[in-house]
Amino acid sequence: MTELIFASKNEGKVREFREFLEPLGITVKSLNELSNVPNIVEDGHTFTENALKKATTIAQAFNQPVVAEDAGLVVDALDGAPGIYSARYAGDHDDAANNAKLMQALDGVPFQKRTAKFYAVIVALKPNGEKLVVEGSVAGRILTEPRGHDGFGYDPYFFYEPRQQSFAEMTATEKNAISHRGQALQKFVQEFKQWWEA
């Protein structure tokens, strides 16, 4: 086995995984490179359930090892929303609409009570059912105005207090060193070889 499918059409995420896996001699294919990709129904109640659904659907369809990821923003004052619906909070993958809805939902909530965390889970699955699950999270607060021009999604509103910056004010390298996805990826890197060779 030298090929693995990353169950995503997000080329930014796919690139992150390629950078790690290709030096190990593993070819990473995204869903954009495959035909007859089955519809993935993300109807789980947690990030882990949804990532596992993606991995299982694609592993069964193509009989190859698969890596899937699910991530989102959890806001305490909103009882955990947008949570698993982060990407489609106000429509499908519309960052501007999602952020506008978030600002509306938090209207009147003081900064000290706008605590939140970004959460990510990565699931790797072989056709034989052998799986690896890792997660990462990072705490912050939600700003009332966007700051910075890098990043995507909720990054301009996510304020990381130790650096006194929003995620969108950091370089990709700075953000990846502390982010939820960065943490999950570091754990994945540590445990991948054992899973791959098992």
Side-chain angles (χ1 to χ4, degrees):
M1 288 191 306
T2 56
E3 194 171 274
L4 179 149
I5 299 168
F6 185 71
S8 176
K9 292 182 178 179
N10 182 324
E11 288 300 329
K13 289 183 184 180
V14 175
R15 192 167 55 247
E16 283 181 3
F17 278 83
R18 277 199 179 118
E19 283 170 9
F20 157 60
L21 293 169
E22 289 190 342
L24 302 179
I26 296 162
T27 304
V28 178
K29 282 193 166 181
S30 78
L31 296 185
N32 295 326
E33 299 169 69
L34 303 170
S35 51
N36 301 318
V37 175
N39 185 35
I40 300 169
V41 181
E42 293 182 53
D43 57 359
H45 298 293
T46 66
F47 294 109
T48 304
E49 282 180 21
N50 280 335
L52 197 49
K53 279 178 182 285
K54 290 181 209 178
T56 304
T57 303
I58 300 303
Q60 288 173 349
F62 295 97
N63 197 38
Q64 277 186 274
V66 176
V67 172
E69 186 239 35
D70 201 34
L73 178 69
V74 175
V75 181
D76 297 320
L78 303 179
D79 296 322
I84 58 170
Y85 305 107
S86 292
R88 47 193 189 277
Y89 189 40
D92 196 27
H93 296 80
D94 184 334
D95 289 351
N98 288 341
N99 281 317
K101 184 173 179 179
L102 180 66
M103 288 300 98
Q104 195 176 0
L106 286 171
D107 189 37
V109 178
F111 183 65
Q112 289 311 103
K113 293 194 173 170
R114 294 166 79 112
T115 52
K117 71 175 179 181
F118 268 129
Y119 180 84
V121 63
I122 298 170
V123 172
L125 184 70
K126 289 181 184 172
N128 67 4
E130 188 106 20
K131 72 180 178 208
L132 166 63
V133 180
V134 293
E135 55 190 45
S137 68
V138 60
R141 290 183 199 275
I142 304 300
L143 295 161
T144 54
E145 297 288 333
R147 283 172 49 171
H149 302 288
D150 282 327
F152 59 92
Y154 301 98
D155 286 355
Y157 289 93
F158 189 82
F159 185 70
Y160 183 65
E161 292 187 274
R163 290 186 65 121
Q164 292 293 296
Q165 285 181 308
S166 80
F167 266 14
E169 290 176 299
M170 300 179 193
T171 65
T173 305
E174 289 169 340
K175 180 182 140 183
N176 290 341
I178 52 157
S179 76
H180 52 308
R181 188 172 290 115
Q183 289 180 41
L185 203 47
Q186 283 167 21
K187 292 176 191 172
F188 181 71
V189 167
Q190 289 162 6
E191 298 180 35
F192 176 82
K193 199 168 187 294
Q194 192 177 352
W195 170 80
W196 184 252
E197 293 175 355

